[in-house]
């Protein structure tokens, strides 16, 4: 899919239905919230949500007092939904409308969170580009939290093919320099009532 049509796909996905009806919607963003809170050393930790869209993770982290939050997404329409929902609180968050593979991070983060975005990278070259950008954007000692469809999860998400993962396949993409610290499965119940198996992996960047 071309860059333009990918952007169009996602802007359409976010605008043709209510954001609470999309299959990936979570009222309570778990286990992401628990994992971020557990691995963030303090409330000033720099946290980025890659492909965060209109996720309520940012709201929940603001509620807990986290002060250095960035949300990056290809679809400007999704960021608009989140900003409108947050009102004035949105001004304390950095919003980046970009393809994760196209933008070099301008700073380094303590925590890099990604739920259901990395799994759209089905080409090895794109996965390696993501890994390169992760190296640019995550501090040494920083934490990567990656949630993807599990090996027994759906083959498509939002009508697009995905690459299903567990911690072993992600370790393979990351290679040296990332130490697996935790892995867990998660059953996501979609608004339509279907169960999707997710796999979450937490890695620490060792150097
Ligand atoms: C399945 S949704 C998950 C949204 C959010 N992470 C959540 O858990 O609710 C995938 C998100 O990734 C975004 N996305 C897809 N490909 C992307 C890319 N290459 N760069 C940045 N964002 C992307 C989409 O716009 C969408 O918001």
């Amino acid at each position: 899919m071309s860059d333009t049509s990918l952007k169009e796909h996602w802007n359409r996905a976010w605008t043709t239905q209510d954001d609470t009806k999309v299959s990936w919607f979570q009222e309570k963003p778990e286990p992401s919230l628990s994992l971020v809170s557990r691995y963030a050393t303090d409330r000033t930790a720099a946290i980025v949500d890659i492909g965060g869209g209109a996720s309520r993770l940012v709201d929940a982290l603001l509620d807990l007092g986290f002060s250095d939050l960035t949300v990056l997404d290809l679809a400007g329409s999704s960021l608009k939904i989140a900003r409108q929902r947050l009102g004035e609180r949105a001004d304390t968050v950095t919003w980046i409308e970009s393809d994760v593979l196209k933008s070099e991070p301008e700073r380094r983060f303590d925590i890099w969170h990604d739920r259901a975005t990395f799994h759209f990278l089905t080409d090895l070259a794109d996965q390696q580009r993501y890994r390169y950008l992760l190296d640019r954007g995550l501090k040494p000692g920083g934490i990567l939290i990656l949630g993807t469809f599990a090996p027994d999860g759906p083959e498509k998400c939002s009508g697009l093919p995905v690459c299903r993962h567990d911690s072993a396949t992600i370790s393979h993409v990351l290679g040296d320099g990332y130490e697996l610290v935790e892995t867990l499965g998660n059953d996501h119940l979609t608004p339509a009532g279907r169960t999707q198996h997710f796999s979450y992996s937490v890695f620490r960047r060792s150097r």
Side-chain angles (χ1 to χ4, degrees):
M1 197 184 274
S2 73
D3 292 352
T4 319
S5 50
L6 189 64
K7 197 175 167 68
E8 278 169 6
H9 169 90
W10 282 109
N11 276 317
R12 213 177 313 116
W14 282 112
T15 51
T16 51
Q17 57 194 330
D18 191 89
D19 67 288
T20 61
K21 297 286 185 288
V22 295
S23 61
W24 53 92
F25 173 72
Q26 295 178 293
E27 180 78 51
K28 201 163 178 248
E30 292 292 1
S32 301
L33 182 59
S34 300
L35 290 171
V36 172
S37 318
R38 180 138 46 91
Y39 287 98
T41 45
D42 60 51
R43 295 301 196 247
T44 64
I47 299 166
V48 63
D49 191 11
I50 299 294
S55 163
R56 291 164 192 233
L57 180 61
V58 64
D59 312 41
L61 291 171
L62 285 170
D63 289 345
L64 290 178
F66 286 97
S67 57
D68 188 351
L69 303 177
T70 299
V71 181
L72 176 147
D73 203 286
L74 178 68
S77 55
S78 68
L79 301 179
K80 196 171 160 198
I81 294 166
R83 295 180 78 147
Q84 282 176 348
R85 188 179 66 231
L86 284 164
E88 281 183 3
R89 296 207 297 168
D91 298 343
T92 65
V93 176
T94 302
W95 305 93
I96 302 174
E97 181 182 337
S98 173
D99 185 328
V100 63
L101 298 182
K102 298 282 181 308
S103 64
E104 291 263 344
E106 287 178 4
R107 60 179 297 204
R108 287 193 159 180
F109 296 93
D110 297 296
I111 298 201
W112 176 296
H113 170 269
D114 176 329
R115 172 180 181 263
T117 300
F118 176 77
H119 70 192
F120 290 107
L121 306 180
T122 53
D123 287 352
L124 196 56
D126 286 345
Q127 293 176 4
Q128 285 168 349
R129 168 86 181 147
Y130 186 100
R131 155 61 152 105
Y132 165 81
L133 293 166
L134 177 66
D135 274 353
R136 315 279 294 191
L138 187 64
K139 294 177 186 172
I143 294 288
L144 165 68
I145 300 168
L146 213 47
T148 65
F149 282 171
D152 60 352
E155 292 178 356
K156 288 191 169 185
C157 181
S158 186
L160 300 177
V162 299
C163 194
R164 298 173 293 176
H165 288 282
D166 56 18
S167 55
T169 59
I170 291 171
S171 289
H172 188 70
V173 173
L174 296 175
D176 290 344
Y178 288 84
E179 172 205 349
L180 179 67
V181 286
E182 183 173 346
T183 179
L184 64 148
N186 174 260
D187 282 346
H188 168 61
L189 186 63
T190 71
R194 291 199 185 85
T195 300
Q196 298 179 329
H197 294 155
F198 271 76
S199 170
Y200 284 78
S201 300
V202 180
F203 290 85
R204 180 172 282 109
R205 182 175 180 190
S206 48
R207 58 184 157 83

